[in-house]
Amino acid sequence: MKKTVLKAGALAFAGATMLALSAPASAQEVSACLITKTDINPFFVKMKEGASAKAEELGVDLSTYAGKIDGDHETQVQAIESCIASGAKGILLTASDTKAIVPAVKKARDAGILVIALDTPLEPIDSADATFATDNFKAGELIGQWAAKTLGDEAANAKIALLDLAPSQPSVDVLRNQGFLQGFGIELKDEKMIGDEDDPRIVGNDVTSGNEEGGRKAMENLLQKDPDINVVYTINEPAAAGAYEALKSFGKEEGVLLVSVDGGCPGVQNVKEGIIGATSQQYPLLMASMGIEAIKKYADSGELPEPSPGLDFFNTGVTLVTDQPVEGVESIDSEEGLERCWG
């Protein structure tokens, strides 16, 4: 009798185990990873907040990783390996090197992990299962249009400094740069490349690593090349803050149009204070929270996220923020920008 009971118990346990393996994952069993470029940039801090809050709401076990600096590709590869080993159901990724990361992403997808690119599309974009992002080309185009219309006829005589992200030219870097140039009215050459334009108004390009110190150094370099720069495009607002400090040290803070992308609360405050003329506001908290929702849905049903109609990514929106609006370019003022940052 004792033997029979043990057998029955073993069979019941085995049956329960099989059911657990075949049933959809419960909220407690779903794990996910967020891998950002850094954990210092306020943009990625807000992204982490959005992912963490949504994960807690949905019962998803979230692990977070970040590069030491913007451009730290190897740390991101190691993070993907850790997520594969831990059995994560999904990975949210803002890639530092959008081309070099593709083999690691493929390995994760081959392991059955849903990979969603946030903010920065991979190259090619379908290397990830989905992309939730700002329309980065549009973000650049808006600040380019604003700068050109603000200068009016003098746009023809502009001297432009372009403060980009990294030598590897990740997709977000290229899209914003090329969008700005098109918005300003400069003819593009290869839309997938930074720095091949021959318009005489461009003083030059330099890289910033997306941080304040990088922005300061890049601005100093370009001012040494031409001290009469009067338009400065920056990849993001930390780089813009550094650029402003360099301009100030050269006595050039007045009369220079400084534009950027991000729309974070510190950046919008800089718009309000007249440091940044205009910035394109994006919504990292929304990107990250939607990413967690997509991973949960995938875990429960196997359903993959869909892109926005007519696009190859899901567009999370972009809004121009300026206190000096121009005709023909829709914008909000810094007060509204401060209310929205960073949804």
Side-chain angles (χ1 to χ4, degrees), residues 291-304:
I292 293 295
E293 289 175 339
I295 290 171
K296 179 64 167 61
K297 184 178 287 188
Y298 175 71
D300 289 345
S301 67
E303 183 179 342
L304 295 172

Side-chain angles (χ1 to χ4, degrees), residues 5-337:
V5 169
L6 284 170
K7 264 190 182 176
L11 286 168
F13 177 77
T17 302
M18 289 177 69
L19 283 171
L21 289 172
S22 60
S26 69
Q28 289 74 24
E29 294 169 333
V30 176
S31 63
C33 295
L34 172 67
I35 305 171
T36 56
K37 296 176 185 178
T38 73
D39 57 7
I40 299 170
N41 187 318
F43 183 85
F44 300 118
V45 172
K46 184 58 69 172
M47 190 174 277
K48 183 176 177 180
E49 287 178 14
S52 298
K54 185 58 67 172
E56 183 175 357
E57 177 189 330
L58 299 180
V60 173
D61 181 18
L62 180 66
S63 299
T64 62
Y65 304 84
K68 298 178 182 70
I69 59 170
D70 202 323
D72 182 5
H73 166 70
E74 290 304 322
T75 297
Q76 292 196 317
V77 171
Q78 292 164 15
I80 291 174
E81 294 284 353
S82 296
C83 297
I84 295 170
S86 71
K89 197 66 180 176
I91 295 173
L92 304 178
L93 171 67
T94 61
S96 286
D97 191 321
T98 49
K99 300 182 187 77
I101 201 74
V102 167
V105 168
K106 182 179 186 302
K107 187 175 179 181
R109 293 179 71 188
D110 288 346
I113 299 173
L114 178 73
V115 180
I116 298 175
L118 297 183
D119 178 58
T120 304
L122 301 187
E123 297 178 75
I125 194 168
D126 61 3
S127 299
D129 291 292
T131 301
F132 294 166
T134 306
D135 185 336
N136 282 294
F137 190 91
K138 181 67 174 178
E141 191 173 37
L142 286 170
I143 54 176
Q145 290 170 342
W146 178 87
K149 284 181 176 289
T150 298
L151 286 174
D153 292 342
E154 282 304 304
N157 304 313
K159 294 193 173 186
I160 303 168
L162 298 160
L163 274 58
D164 300 305
L165 182 59
S168 63
Q169 299 193 9
S171 58
V172 66
D173 203 6
V174 176
L175 288 165
R176 293 181 187 180
N177 174 289
Q178 298 291 277
F180 168 82
L181 292 175
Q182 179 164 291
F184 197 85
I186 289 174
E187 183 181 352
L188 303 179
K189 299 294 184 182
D190 183 348
E191 284 191 14
K192 297 182 179 179
M193 179 183 296
I194 289 173
D196 63 342
E197 293 80 19
D198 55 12
D199 192 297
R201 290 175 289 180
I202 299 174
V203 172
N205 299 70
D206 207 335
V207 296
T208 66
S209 296
N211 60 48
E212 190 167 338
E213 180 62 14
R216 183 184 64 78
K217 288 181 179 178
M219 190 73 254
E220 287 174 352
N221 292 341
L222 292 171
L223 282 169
Q224 287 168 5
K225 188 174 180 180
D226 190 333
D228 294 326
I229 288 167
N230 63 355
V231 177
V232 180
Y233 155 84
T234 60
I235 179 68
N236 64 11
E237 289 158 0
Y244 179 77
E245 288 305 314
L247 288 165
K248 194 173 179 182
S249 71
F250 277 69
K252 298 285 184 179
E253 70 270 27
E254 299 294 333
V256 176
L257 291 182
L258 179 60
V259 296
S260 197
V261 178
D262 267 356
C265 300
V268 176
Q269 184 63 35
N270 281 343
V271 171
K272 186 174 183 179
E273 293 171 6
I275 294 169
I276 296 175
T279 191
S280 287
Q281 186 170 70
Q282 47 184 347
Y283 303 101
L285 191 149
L286 176 64
M287 289 178 205
S289 60
M290 288 181 63
I292 293 295
E293 289 175 339
I295 290 171
K296 179 64 167 61
K297 184 178 287 188
Y298 175 71
D300 289 345
S301 67
E303 183 179 342
L304 295 172
E306 294 287 336
S308 296
L311 298 175
D312 53 5
F313 67 98
F314 187 90
N315 186 2
T316 53
V318 62
T319 308
L320 184 72
V321 181
T322 183
D323 287 333
Q324 304 170 55
V326 295
E327 188 176 350
V329 184
E330 188 175 346
S331 64
I332 60 174
D333 64 20
S334 61
E335 288 298 328
E336 187 172 350

